[in-house]
Amino acid sequence: MFSEAVLPHNPDIRRPISGWLNHIKFRRIMSQTDVAYTILIVEDNEDVRSIFAEVFEGKGYHVLQAGDGAEALSVIDSADGIVDVVLTDLRMPVMNGVEFASELKHDPRFGHIPVVLLSATPTKDSWQARKLFAALLIKPCPFSTLLPVVEAVLPSR
């Protein structure tokens, strides 16, 4: 339960340091250096969205979710600027991925947020998509491809 620490001024003196104190010091250091990135997953299929959320949470991301572009804009607005990257589907009800990304990019508060498009449907206007999206991926996309792409477009801290 106790670990021992050697005091620097006299290596022969050992004093116990409780395990919880070590944990508190470690947590404080980690919170200063390892702040989780926040990803917003925009996908109308709840099962698919849940799988993506579970994978990204397992990799240490803070995950926000939305079922369509309109809901995603509300989530970003209420998230108070903490969204670092967006992963969106193309075909969704209410507001599709292109409409959502266009709205996001034209908002001066959020235009800097990279948006990754993941869709089973190829885009008709790829020139427009290149202006809106930091990356374009086709479903099905293995996580071994998706995760490095998302990491590559993340802003540096």
Side-chain angles (χ1 to χ4, degrees), residues 101-113:
S102 182
E103 289 282 330
L104 190 70
K105 293 301 176 185
H106 287 97
D107 188 320
R109 299 171 299 163
F110 309 122
H112 66 281
I113 300 172

Side-chain angles (χ1 to χ4, degrees), residues 75-152:
V75 169
I76 288 176
D77 195 40
S78 64
D80 201 26
I82 64 163
V83 176
D84 296 300
V85 64
V86 175
L87 176 64
T88 186
D89 189 13
L90 178 62
R91 301 183 90 191
M92 297 177 288
V94 184
M95 180 183 283
N96 69 38
V98 172
E99 294 166 337
F100 161 68
S102 182
E103 289 282 330
L104 190 70
K105 293 301 176 185
H106 287 97
D107 188 320
R109 299 171 299 163
F110 309 122
H112 66 281
I113 300 172
V115 181
V116 176
L117 177 67
L118 178 61
S119 179
T121 309
T123 59
K124 294 177 184 175
D125 300 323
S126 60
W127 62 269
Q128 180 187 16
R130 289 182 182 171
K131 291 180 183 179
L132 296 174
F133 301 105
L136 306 168
L137 297 171
I138 303 296
K139 289 180 185 175
C141 179
F143 291 117
S144 61
T145 301
L146 176 62
L147 292 167
V149 168
V150 169
E151 290 173 9

Side-chain angles (χ1 to χ4, degrees), residues 13-69:
I13 299 174
R14 296 182 184 268
R15 293 190 181 169
I17 299 175
S18 65
W20 66 266
L21 182 60
N22 285 335
H23 178 70
I24 290 171
K25 287 180 180 177
F26 177 75
R27 294 283 300 184
R28 185 168 43 93
I29 291 168
M30 290 299 290
S31 68
Q32 292 171 355
T33 59
D34 283 348
V35 178
Y37 282 103
T38 299
I39 185 168
L40 170 59
I41 300 171
V42 188
E43 167 65 57
D44 59 320
N45 184 314
E46 190 174 341
D47 292 335
V48 172
R49 192 170 66 239
S50 295
I51 291 169
F52 286 144
E54 186 175 323
V55 168
F56 280 100
E57 285 171 349
K59 293 295 182 181
Y61 287 80
H62 173 70
V63 177
L64 302 174
Q65 300 180 46
D68 60 64

